[in-house]
Amino acid sequence: MNDSKSNEQTLSGIVLHSIGGFYYVETADAVYECRARGHFRHEGITPVVGDKVQITCQSATRGTVEEVLPRKNCLVRPPVANIDCLVIVVSVADPAPNTLVLDKMLAMAIYRDITPIIVINKSDLQDAAWLEQIYRGAGFAVFITSAANPQSFLPLEEVLRGKVCAFTGNSGVGKSTILNHICPDLQLETGEISQKLGRGRHTTRSAQLYPMKDGGYWADTAGFSSLDMERVEPIPKEWLEDVFPEFAPHIALCRFTGCSHTKEKECGVRMAVDRGDICESRYANYVTLYEEAQKRVEWKK
């Protein structure tokens, strides 16, 4: 009797997309539509976009996910694994930037050892210099883009080439527009088209990786309009000073060990804020995140 499993080929690949319990896995020579093994559910394993996996092939187009290989990181929102860069897109206007949401996403990326990159879009609508100054001054890579100037996307494309990058940002900031400029073959649905068709404001419905001709992948993910730390990444309050990189030179100047940098006297961080060495909005958002983290600790007691 023939053993059908003996004819199955085992391949390595990466999950490009998942929908309805199907996983689309790119291997060296093809993309396979796969189901996951039943034991994944019992073990609490859910493959996500970006996962490196082992599959067995039942045909030229279909297979089964046998194993999810160890992840270097994994985010719940956006639901992507093994990310090199988190590209956080904000618009300088329409909609106006929310620096608290932006700072939460930056903190989460650093906490997860993911390189954050800020893209300030729609610079044709309003001067972006004030926002750029805040985040360049805090040590982040910042790119200024505009659909009215296609050349503005070239520096971003160069930096991200060859990497696995997740794009995130509020609805309407232009994530899909940016990707369409960087990779014209994508032709992702834009907010303007979606609104005309009456389909609402969230135009990107699920995470998906798009292979690039020069190597690497881009991930476009569902937009968010508001976010709290519990839904993103509950960073312990003791770690918060480490995810605000501009605090580092000033922490050693704090008088008290274990300084929270919120109320203490002779705090090096607070003195740096007073001198203008740390941006007031960044510090205010740090305090907000610290207080949220403190409430989580108190709630658990």
Side-chain angles (χ1 to χ4, degrees), residues 52-53 57 70 94 110 112 137 193 212 232 252 256-257 277 286 295:
K52 296 177 182 179
V53 296
C57 309
D94 192 27
I110 296 171
R112 280 293 193 180
I193 294 172
M212 304 299 292
V232 182
F256 301 104
T257 301
D277 295 336
Y286 164 82
K295 289 178 182 178

Side-chain angles (χ1 to χ4, degrees), residues 10 40 64 79 85 88 126 128 138 155 167 174 201 217 246 256 272 300:
T10 300
F40 281 15
T64 302
C85 302
I88 307 168
Q126 188 173 307
F167 277 68
R201 300 183 64 184
Y217 300 87
E246 67 270 42
F256 301 104
K300 291 178 180 179

